[in-house]
Amino acid sequence: VGEFLSGSRTHVWEYLRANSYVPWGHYASNMAQDSERYSASVLSMEDVTGLRHLYYQRVCVQMALSMDMKDIIPSPGAPALKGPELEEIRKKVNDMVFRRVRRGMPLPFSATMWGWNYGFDFSPSGYRLHASHQQIHHQFALIPPEVTAHGAETIPTYVIGDQVAQFCSDYCKAHGTPFFQAYLRAIKSNTRMDDRHDLPQSLIVHEDSGVLITVPKAQRSQGEVQIILDKPVGNVLEADTSIRTAIDRSIFMIIRAFHQMGAEMVTCCEVSKRFGIEDTDQRLFYYFLPRHPQSPGAFSERQQRWITGHFPEDFAEAFRKSLPRVQSP
């Protein structure tokens, strides 16, 4: 249902998966048969741009179609939108979303879901570490506010960002300050817990146009890395061209850096705010989890318990040293 071509090297297909765990189906965009990417060492920045462009395009075009804004999008069969065309549609769609919400009108979709896998699973060794495709793969969907169940009964949908929204609300009530403002201050003023002033202190790996690559203080796997917005942007409909480009560049850098450090399997998830929410504190962020063949995510991970054998500041320094080799694709 979508295609991205750039030169003779980058070719990406988008397709719809109807038999999906998402009730109405979800989309994926993968490298085409003439541009297979079985290793991050051959992944280019243009590849990531193509993969992500089809995601942004799907969100904007589907929202425009669903809100009866057909006049602002190209006819079926048209080539992929150019950057300025996509940005113009995004702004109009985001504006319409807020207008509908303020008028009490329902939205056809209220959230996005996005996830990425890089690498191979470990089935030959007995471990299957969450890999759905043995190459560079990502998938995405638009989520409606509610779905019908048991005849006419409707129930609200769930997305991972809803937990974050609830936590932000609880935090602000308890402490009188927006959570992400406090969280970003804590990241920027971080100090080590072992009182070693002769060792690295920073959790920030890289900064780019309001986008931070950071290592979380409490990691959910050995070597977790996150992308977090340092601007009041909560989802991809609120993200302008410069922010989307910085996110794409950060994804590319992280995947290549993980490859440099020896990771063979990495999974990633986007955590975003529902569309049309006036509160600007909840930020769009992504988490990357390297999977370790001798330490698979299983029972303890599902219980929200982790044991990590290094200080996050030390891993941030190691990761930081890998980035200069991948900044220029």
Side-chain angles (χ1 to χ4, degrees):
V1 294
E3 184 177 21
F4 181 94
L5 286 161
S6 178
S8 60
R9 190 172 185 273
T10 297
H11 187 193
V12 184
W13 293 118
E14 179 194 23
Y15 56 91
L16 172 64
R17 222 179 103 173
N19 59 333
S20 166
Y21 46 80
V22 178
W24 68 282
H26 73 264
Y27 293 88
S29 60
N30 287 332
M31 305 307 299
Q33 78 286 350
D34 54 354
S35 300
E36 292 173 346
R37 300 286 184 267
Y38 286 104
S39 170
S41 62
V42 295
L43 185 72
S44 72
M45 182 63 228
E46 193 67 15
D47 295 335
V48 175
T49 296
L51 291 163
R52 292 282 295 183
H53 181 85
L54 291 175
Y55 165 52
Y56 299 135
Q57 177 177 269
R58 174 56 53 194
V59 172
C60 293
V61 169
Q62 202 72 42
M63 286 296 290
L65 284 170
S66 302
M67 294 191 298
D68 199 25
M69 301 171 68
K70 299 179 181 66
D71 57 314
I72 71 169
I73 60 174
S75 58
L81 294 166
K82 303 293 185 183
E85 296 173 319
L86 178 61
E87 177 62 7
E88 194 62 30
I89 292 172
R90 181 202 66 81
K91 289 189 289 188
K92 291 177 180 178
V93 166
N94 195 47
D95 181 61
M96 178 60 75
V97 163
F98 278 97
R99 277 193 281 164
R100 288 176 69 118
V101 169
R102 289 163 186 161
R103 294 172 184 171
M105 299 172 64
L107 293 176
F109 302 101
S110 62
T112 54
M113 182 175 70
W114 179 92
W116 167 295
N117 277 330
Y118 147 66
F120 294 84
D121 68 6
F122 288 85
S123 52
S125 63
Y127 299 110
R128 297 193 64 86
L129 301 186
H130 312 294
S132 56
H133 287 253
Q134 291 191 345
Q135 59 161 320
I136 311 299
H137 165 71
H138 76 151
Q139 52 194 14
F140 41 91
L142 280 157
I143 309 300
E146 57 187 21
V147 292
T148 302
H150 307 297
E153 180 188 359
T154 59
I155 58 174
T157 56
Y158 165 80
V159 290
I160 190 172
D162 294 345
Q163 284 191 16
V164 178
Q166 184 62 54
F167 179 84
C168 289
S169 175
D170 294 344
Y171 183 91
C172 194
K173 288 177 184 176
H175 300 284
T177 188
F179 168 71
F180 273 93
Q181 287 186 23
Y183 183 50
L184 286 162
R185 283 198 303 270
I187 290 173
K188 294 175 183 179
S189 60
N190 179 72
T191 57
R192 297 176 67 97
M193 297 181 69
D194 60 358
D195 294 326
R196 287 289 302 273
H197 300 290
D198 58 323
L199 295 175
Q201 301 284 330
S202 180
L203 298 171
I204 297 173
V205 175
H206 183 74
E207 299 184 54
D208 184 356
S209 301
V211 175
L212 303 178
I213 299 176
T214 70
V215 172
K217 194 76 168 181
Q219 300 167 76
R220 286 172 291 177
S221 75
Q222 298 99 318
E224 179 182 2
V225 175
Q226 294 184 359
I227 297 171
I228 187 168
L229 271 291
D230 196 18
K231 293 182 177 181
V233 173
N235 54 57
V236 294
L237 277 185
E238 297 178 358
D240 63 21
T241 300
S242 65
I243 290 175
R244 297 195 308 274
T245 301
I247 291 172
D248 299 349
R249 191 158 45 234
S250 296
I251 290 172
F252 171 74
M253 292 169 66
I254 288 171
I255 292 297
R256 288 289 294 269
F258 269 130
H259 178 79
Q260 294 274 13
M261 299 177 76
E264 295 185 46
M265 179 65 214
V266 180
T267 61
C268 173
C269 182
E270 176 185 277
V271 183
S272 60
K273 182 179 74 173
R274 294 265 182 176
F275 299 156
I277 302 297
E278 299 281 2
D279 182 7
T280 59
D281 182 52
Q282 186 178 350
R283 308 299 172 88
L284 174 66
F285 71 93
Y286 297 77
Y287 61 81
F288 295 76
L289 304 177
R291 302 298 185 178
H292 300 269
Q294 305 306 320
S295 179
F299 186 69
S300 63
E301 179 184 302
R302 297 298 175 257
Q303 287 190 320
Q304 304 286 295
R305 296 188 292 112
W306 296 272
I307 299 173
T308 303
H310 57 254
F311 280 89
E313 296 83 2
D314 295 331
F315 182 75
E317 177 70 6
F319 205 84
R320 196 178 298 117
K321 289 179 178 178
S322 298
L323 287 180
R325 291 173 288 186
V326 298
Q327 282 180 347
S328 300

